[in-house]
Amino acid sequence: MNGKSSKPASPSLPGGLSVRDAQACILGKTAPLGAEDIALERALGRVLAADVRADRDLPPHDISAMDGYAVCAADTADAPARLKIVDDIRAGDTPRVTLQRGQCARIMTGAPVPAGADTVVRVEDTRPGPDDAVDILIPVRAATDIRRRAENMRRGEIVLAAGTGIGPGTVGALATAKQATVAVHRQPRVAILSSGNELEALREPFDPGKIPDANTYALMAQVQAQGVEPDLLGIARDDPAELSGFLERGLGYDILLVSGGASVGVHDHVRPTLAALGVAMHFWRVEMRPGHPVAFGTRGRCFVFCLPGNPVSSMVCFEQFVLPALRALAGHRRLFRRTLPARLTHAVESRPGRIEFMRVTLARDASGIYEAASAGSQSSGDMLSMARADGLLIVPSASKGLAAGETARVQLLETGAYQDEAELGDEPCSQKDVHRASLHDTIGP
Ligand code: AMP
Ligand code: MG
């Protein structure tokens, strides 16, 4: 292995890709990982690997939706009407009596409707009568406040399809279908490595000549936000032999994230060292800002992302490339961050040729439409503006800049909301979009 002979990259390596092409290159190589069985208690955030069928009808009988009286609707036609109470049915009971005309049964929410009754009158529409009687105050139509047998699920039917992402509602539905154990896609195992002689580890003492290793932790958190606990490999120095040892270890994972050392400096050894370890590199450099010197390769089933050292660049590259790959491996169908249109509060300058991701904060204006404002310095080393940002505003690559008041697309950060397609600002934002966003999106003050 010769770590010193790699600049520029091999001529066959595609470079200067668009974000969209780079995403397509990565996602063309991903497929959901195999299935594993886990306890329902651990299933949140995972993706179903098999269809789930109902094991029974639910509700198991026609049941009351209210506390009240099971009656025959015809008996209430000339309300007020006095009916004799002949039974008292609670949830879980089996009705004993078939109602005759002029009779009713006290019934609780969830209790089975007795034979002879065809509707339910709510307690609020009744008044206690003398002895065992009740006065029904209003006429009720047949089939009021009755939930029909199997209206929620029918035995044998598929209630949740393979590929469903498991949220709290899904966990509830799985419990309803009595799935104590659930078949889900395996989650990718992720390793994170930082590289650079200048880096000071989080728990190392302060050294005035060094800079703190931020990337290990920012990337860790981005992975954790996807429900995956990564392994932190530490910091490799800019030395091919040392790097090689770290990288070989990382290549045992499903995803290896390396930050730093992948640019054109004479001490950037990451890409040649990976090549020497048998990693096939598929692209290097994407026409984006920040994040230009990003590279992607594979060895066997391991996906290797060489992320730029600058902390914001590495986070932005994670958002565009690692996140969709990670979600695809975990079996998700929605791979991309949710975007929404927002109106710029100020003008933005841009050099055409690269798509730009600008850190912005979002707020709603008086009419409920989102307004985006710069979150501060757009330097790729400024983690603080990343900490403030609600999203990344997309300045399309052809744009020379955007005027104040113009609408642009914003990728939301860390909201847990995803969408089906990558939207990268190359389609116009319609007025309809703006209104839809203001009606349905819930973030912002
Ligand atoms: P490189 O990609 O190695 O040329 O690094 C580009 C810039 O990012 C340099 O200023 C590095 O000091 C900085 N950098 C690299 N790795 C990290 C890291 N793990 N945490 C914070 N800054 C980093
Ligand atoms: Mg470096």
Side-chain angles (χ1 to χ4, degrees):
M1 185 195 74
N2 179 359
K4 297 197 172 78
S5 64
S6 64
K7 297 112 213 161
S10 83
S12 62
L13 189 64
L17 266 66
S18 69
V19 169
R20 214 180 263 289
D21 288 346
Q23 286 173 338
C25 168
I26 297 163
L27 294 175
K29 300 181 194 307
T30 56
L33 298 173
E36 63 182 356
D37 287 337
I38 56 164
L40 181 60
E41 289 87 336
R42 305 251 53 87
L44 181 66
R46 305 294 291 271
V47 181
L48 286 178
D51 294 341
V52 172
R53 291 175 187 274
D55 73 335
R56 69 189 69 196
D57 288 349
L58 263 188
H61 326 274
D62 291 353
I63 60 170
S64 177
M66 291 288 169
D67 292 334
Y69 295 87
V71 305
C72 177
D75 282 343
T76 71
D78 300 321
R82 181 158 297 170
L83 301 179
K84 186 168 165 33
I85 305 169
V86 296
D87 201 0
D88 189 351
I89 312 168
R90 294 166 300 176
D93 286 351
T94 306
R96 291 158 297 186
V97 186
T98 297
L99 298 191
Q100 308 300 317
R101 292 294 300 267
Q103 296 182 335
C104 69
R106 187 179 288 116
I107 194 165
M108 302 297 132
T109 303
V113 175
D118 61 6
T119 197
V120 169
V121 193
R122 301 183 303 170
V123 174
E124 295 87 330
D125 298 324
T126 69
R127 194 168 45 211
D131 304 322
D132 287 340
V134 62
D135 290 332
I136 310 297
L137 304 179
I138 57 162
V140 283
R141 273 189 298 204
T144 304
D145 287 327
I146 292 178
R147 286 171 50 210
R148 292 294 174 197
R149 174 178 183 158
E151 78 175 34
N152 298 134
M153 43 176 88
R154 189 171 296 279
R155 180 181 153 84
E157 271 180 6
I158 293 175
V159 286
L160 294 165
T164 301
I166 302 178
T170 327
V171 171
L174 288 164
T176 307
K178 297 282 289 192
Q179 303 289 301
T181 302
V182 193
V184 294
H185 288 288
R186 191 166 68 71
Q187 284 184 310
R189 292 171 308 112
V190 181
I192 298 175
L193 177 67
S194 285
S195 76
N197 290 349
E198 75 282 25
L199 298 181
E200 179 181 289
L202 184 64
R203 292 185 172 82
E204 253 171 20
F206 171 71
D207 177 338
K210 291 199 163 178
I211 64 148
D213 169 20
N215 294 357
T216 290
Y217 298 94
L219 292 168
M220 170 197 77
Q222 287 178 299
V223 173
Q224 286 172 332
Q226 295 300 311
V228 174
E229 199 56 48
D231 282 351
L232 311 184
L233 302 187
I235 299 169
R237 296 169 53 76
D238 292 318
D239 166 73
E242 181 172 327
L243 253 178
S244 185
F246 276 101
L247 292 172
E248 183 56 48
R249 194 177 149 214
L251 287 167
Y253 288 75
D254 297 305
I255 296 179
L256 169 59
L257 307 180
V258 192
S259 72
S263 199
V264 290
V266 287
H267 300 294
D268 289 338
H269 301 298
V270 170
R271 288 178 302 105
T273 306
L274 283 169
L277 291 170
V279 173
M281 299 307 290
H282 303 298
F283 65 73
W284 178 48
R285 293 172 160 171
V286 174
E287 294 304 330
M288 63 191 286
R289 192 179 294 118
H292 181 246
V294 57
F296 167 67
T298 50
R299 191 182 84 177
R301 297 214 178 119
C302 180
F303 293 80
V304 187
F305 295 87
C306 304
L307 305 171
N310 275 306
V312 176
S313 310
S314 95
M315 288 191 77
V316 169
C317 287
F318 182 99
E319 290 292 311
Q320 310 315 315
F321 308 120
V322 184
L323 180 137
L326 196 156
R327 291 182 63 78
L329 291 176
H332 287 283
R333 290 177 180 158
R334 293 186 155 174
L335 305 182
F336 301 102
R337 284 288 189 197
R338 186 171 187 180
T339 68
L340 58 80
R343 216 153 48 195
L344 269 161
T345 60
H346 52 78
V348 171
E349 284 181 13
S350 177
R351 260 177 297 150
R354 292 184 187 176
I355 186 172
E356 258 184 63
F357 296 91
M358 185 179 131
R359 282 148 272 168
V360 294
T361 57
L362 290 170
R364 286 171 190 262
D365 73 6
S367 57
I369 291 171
Y370 284 110
E371 288 191 321
S374 169
S377 159
Q378 297 293 325
S379 148
S380 57
D382 193 333
M383 222 27 158
L384 292 180
S385 57
M386 195 65 187
R388 275 191 296 270
D390 295 315
L392 298 172
L393 182 139
I394 296 165
V395 185
S397 74
S399 171
K400 293 193 183 114
L402 302 168
E406 255 192 271
T407 300
R409 208 162 267 289
V410 177
Q411 263 180 16
L412 299 179
L413 292 165
E414 293 179 41
T415 62
Y418 304 96
Q419 61 179 35
D420 296 312
E421 288 167 16
E423 291 178 298
L424 296 164
D426 44 9
E427 58 281 294
C429 292
S430 69
Q431 208 41 37
K432 203 171 98 224
D433 252 356
V434 173
H435 288 299
R436 211 173 46 206
S438 65
L439 282 174
H440 295 300
D441 293 306
T442 50
I443 70 151

